[in-house]
Amino acid sequence: MLGGNNPIRVQSMCNTDTKDVEATVKQILELEKKGCEIIRVAVPGMEAAKAIGAIKKKINIPLVADIHFDHKLALESIKQGVDKVRINPGNIGSEEKVKAVVDACKEKNIPIRIGVNGGSLEKDLLEKYGQTPKAAVESALRHVQILEELDFHDILISIKFSEVPPMIEAYRLLAKKIDYPLHLGVTHAGTPFTGTIKNAIGIGTLVGQGIGATLRVSLTGSLEEEIKVGYAILESLGKRKKKFEMISCPSCGRCEIDIVSLAQKTEKLLEKINKPIKVAVMGCIVNGPGEAKEADIGIAGGHGKAILFAKGKVLKTVPEKEIFKALEKEIKKITS
Ligand code: SF4
């Protein structure tokens, strides 16, 4: 279920050749482990469409077929048991072809995602409005109308731009006009650093305003990173419960221990343990004890040593080279 009070779902898209069932399944299972909740695959040809059934059998999360123009690919994907089709009805061609896809979706009770992209809008809309959020919204509404005229309402919509301000505006405009669940994303957002910032601002702004049913963080690079960033956005906005929380100070001239490597090692450990716990890794005794006391486990650095806190109480003072070991021991005590 998507939309309404259901959790906002984090999705990704495979970058394998869909025809290569083994590689695609392997990638999906890895992403599942990282928390991916919906996965999309490109269906550029009939062989890829025919591979859907074999892929479906081996994975556990809903599978979406991404199709451009060719209704036969949609029909085959549906026949193979896909869980959702991403296709723009306005680009399919004759009414007959659209109806065939809609009828097949109705029969299998699966939704259609309309995916509007700021970079590929209809010519007449570009002439009327330019490459603007208004043009994208009108394009989305045209596709919606085609489906509604066929009495099909199991619809999701995405309306992506590669720049953040038009992306936010387009989704806001669209959310005012329709009530269907929206799939959020900044398209072609870039490499992990730039992309993470663009996605966090674009998706985060909308989610913070109550807009969005699913999201995909698009990053050129690791798909696993997409999932991680997706969750981080939702967690930061309180839309997903954090498994663990780590507070660490940025360090300053008062810090007399190697707080950076200590924070990195602690975060890695927490990711591995993946249990609900709050840990504070702080550099000095000015601001350190306050945060450390609020956490389940915390340290506040000193000159070549640190004070270790557990549940608000001082446990002991440990020399710098033993801080991580002592932290690890206490964290494992609480989480095991
Ligand atoms: Fe500086 Fe201490 Fe604050 Fe860390 S906790 S930033 S070392 S004042």
Side-chain angles (χ1 to χ4, degrees), residues 319-335:
E320 179 166 5
K321 58 178 188 326
E322 288 169 27
I323 302 174
F324 180 69
K325 267 218 153 86
L327 254 179
E328 187 179 26
K329 197 173 149 202
E330 293 306 318
I331 290 168
K332 285 189 171 162
K333 231 191 244 173
I334 289 197
T335 53

Side-chain angles (χ1 to χ4, degrees), residues 13-25 27-28 40-45 47-55 63-66 77:
M13 183 170 183
C14 285
N15 56 17
T16 51
D17 180 348
T18 309
K19 297 194 295 285
D20 186 343
V21 173
E22 200 183 320
T24 305
V25 167
Q27 187 167 66
I28 296 173
R40 183 158 47 114
V41 291
V43 180
E47 259 188 272
K50 286 190 189 298
I52 295 268
I55 296 169
L63 182 65
V64 186
D66 192 286
S77 303

Side-chain angles (χ1 to χ4, degrees), residues 248-256 259 281-288:
S248 62
C249 85
S251 144
C252 71
R254 288 189 195 96
C255 185
E256 292 183 86
I259 198 79
V281 179
M282 303 295 290
C284 76
I285 49 163
V286 176
N287 295 320

Side-chain angles (χ1 to χ4, degrees), residues 46-114:
M46 198 43 95
E47 259 188 272
K50 286 190 189 298
I52 295 268
I55 296 169
K56 262 292 293 175
K57 268 188 212 132
K58 294 187 178 142
I59 63 168
N60 309 293
I61 53 175
L63 182 65
V64 186
D66 192 286
I67 293 152
H68 288 270
F69 312 117
D70 190 343
H71 82 296
K72 286 198 196 110
L73 299 179
L75 292 178
E76 183 60 32
S77 303
I78 296 164
K79 195 172 133 198
Q80 294 283 336
V82 84
D83 299 293
K84 179 166 83 183
V85 181
R86 185 239 165 159
I87 193 165
N88 289 348
N91 302 344
I92 294 178
S94 71
E95 208 189 309
E96 239 169 82
K97 290 177 183 169
V98 180
K99 196 172 174 309
V101 174
V102 164
D103 286 347
C105 285
K106 276 186 190 167
E107 199 191 313
K108 295 271 181 104
N109 202 17
I110 62 172
I112 292 177
R113 164 149 77 89
I114 293 165

Side-chain angles (χ1 to χ4, degrees), residues 210-228:
I211 297 171
T214 80
L215 61 89
R216 185 216 174 172
V217 168
S218 116
L219 295 177
T220 309
S222 156
L223 295 181
E224 292 181 6
E225 198 67 17
E226 290 190 0
I227 304 296
K228 203 169 151 190

Side-chain angles (χ1 to χ4, degrees), residues 245-266:
E245 188 168 359
M246 196 182 94
I247 292 160
S248 62
C249 85
S251 144
C252 71
R254 288 189 195 96
C255 185
E256 292 183 86
I257 57 168
D258 183 0
I259 198 79
V260 179
S261 79
L262 188 63
Q264 284 167 347
K265 276 201 272 183
T266 308

